[in-house]
Every structure is written in C-alpha cells, then in structure tokens.
Amino acid sequence: MTLQRVEVGLVSADAALVEFFAAVFELERLPAVRSGSGVVHRLEAPGTRIKVMVPSRRPASAEPAEPFFHLTGVRYLTMYVDDLDGIIERGVARGGRVRHGPMDVGPGVRVAVLQDPDGNAIEVVDGAP
C-alpha cells in the first residue's frame, strides 16, 4: 500500500470559513458534496485539499487554545506560500487575526501564525525550500 493523498477537514457552523480559505489562500472551489449530515465544501491548490464540513445541525463552537500548542491533538495547519504579506493582509481583512509574527526563522524564510475566523491556527511559511 502507498499513501495517495491526505486531505484536511475542518468543521464550521456556516460557509464563511470556505470564503476565508478560498480568498486568503486563493484556493480553487470544487463542487460541494451534500449528504444527510450536511455539506462538505472542497477547496484545492496543487498538493493541497481542504474540506470544510458544514453540518445540517449547527455544531458547538470549540474554544481555541491560547497559545494553540497548549493542548494535544491536531491544532494547526501549515501552508507554504510565496506571499506572506499578501496572505496576512487578506486574512486580516476577512476576519482572521495574526497570533505570532511575521518573523524571520532562517535565511529568506519568514513565518506567521494566523487564526481564522473560527479560531483555527494556520502557520504560514514563506521562502522555505
């Protein structure tokens, strides 16, 4: 067996998170998949697929950890980009918050941690080989 793909799934109360990821990271929207449980919105770019599940019944909101690494489990996504400043600008304009950075972490490599409108932590890395 060989792993063929990994997809990341987020759960949100509505499609606003879909709009955030599509606009901030310039992801292509794929057709949504509807089921009795709700709607799965799919977004992709080369090497990346993010799914946002919007259940039929509104889910309870989780309290984000502060800082995000104070709880175990899946706590953040890492997105490799070539325009960190543009990502930050678009993210903040669409309800996100800069939690850390941007900061230089090596020659030509910059990192920031954004929090999306639902409270998810997104590590954004620019300039990594």
Side-chain angles (χ1 to χ4, degrees), residues 13-98:
D14 57 42
L17 194 61
V18 177
E19 301 299 326
F20 176 86
F21 275 96
V24 173
F25 294 99
E26 299 177 342
L27 299 173
E28 177 186 351
R29 296 168 194 257
L30 301 176
V33 177
R34 298 180 185 284
S35 71
S37 323
V39 179
V40 176
H41 300 270
R42 300 174 304 145
L43 304 158
E44 76 174 3
T48 302
R49 184 171 289 171
I50 295 175
K51 300 183 292 189
V52 178
M53 167 67 160
V54 179
S56 300
R57 289 182 36 201
R58 187 175 185 86
S61 295
E63 288 296 320
E66 190 56 44
F68 68 90
F69 50 82
H70 276 198
L71 293 174
T72 61
V74 178
R75 295 288 167 224
Y76 67 100
L77 306 174
T78 300
M79 308 285 271
Y80 292 89
V81 303
D82 60 9
D83 181 18
L84 180 60
D85 295 325
I87 297 292
I88 291 171
E89 183 179 314
R90 290 191 301 273
V92 170
R94 287 170 177 79
R97 294 180 19 187
V98 177

